[in-house]
Amino acid sequence: QVQLVESGGGLVQPGGSLSLSCQASGGGLVFVVIAWFRQAPGKEREGVSCITHDRMKFYADSVKGRFAISRDNAKNTVLLQLYDLEPEDTDVYYCAAGYPSTWYRPADYTYWGRGTQVTVSA
């Protein structure tokens, strides 16, 4: 069974950068789709970005041009680099793995990490 662990969250000032990592264990990531979601209290989980096994990349409009996703299948790791952060980016960020029909739909993913908090504040 695949297990996902996120790391790299923290507190950053507006305009700053962070790098989030999703480390998989218990199974290879070679053929699965990996996505990042985020969720604030009381809100629905939102798809942020996704990368397929052959490195096709998708981004939510709200982060396009500011976030960058990449994967290293040999290390079973997916990175999400966050640039030019805004207070509205404050959320818990989750890594998910699966074979989605719609990349930004949470129900399409089988495996989830526990999340890492990103806080953007002056």
Side-chain angles (χ1 to χ4, degrees):
Q1 183 170 346
V2 175
Q3 294 182 327
L4 304 174
V5 178
E6 305 93 337
S7 62
L11 173 64
V12 63
Q13 292 186 343
S17 302
L18 280 175
S19 183
L20 305 183
S21 176
C22 174
Q23 178 69 55
S25 61
L29 289 183
V30 175
F31 297 108
V32 300
V33 173
I34 305 296
W36 284 92
F37 288 79
R38 64 186 182 185
Q39 187 172 25
K43 294 189 176 181
E44 292 187 356
R45 196 162 289 191
E46 173 192 21
V48 174
S49 183
C50 159
I51 186 166
T52 67
H53 69 281
D54 56 355
R55 294 180 172 80
M56 288 183 62
K57 302 174 184 180
F58 301 87
Y59 297 96
D61 288 343
S62 59
V63 306
K64 206 170 289 184
R66 299 190 299 119
F67 291 8
I69 193 168
S70 61
R71 69 189 290 166
D72 185 335
N73 289 337
K75 296 181 179 179
N76 285 334
T77 300
V78 172
L79 295 179
L80 183 69
Q81 294 172 298
L82 291 62
Y83 302 104
D84 194 20
L85 283 161
E86 304 168 351
E88 292 74 21
D89 295 316
T90 296
D91 274 321
V92 178
Y93 284 68
Y94 298 89
C95 175
Y99 300 93
S101 297
T102 304
W103 77 264
Y104 50 82
R105 191 162 66 186
D108 284 14
Y109 290 83
T110 305
Y111 304 103
W112 289 86
R114 291 190 171 185
T116 184
Q117 176 71 48
V118 171
T119 302
V120 185
S121 175

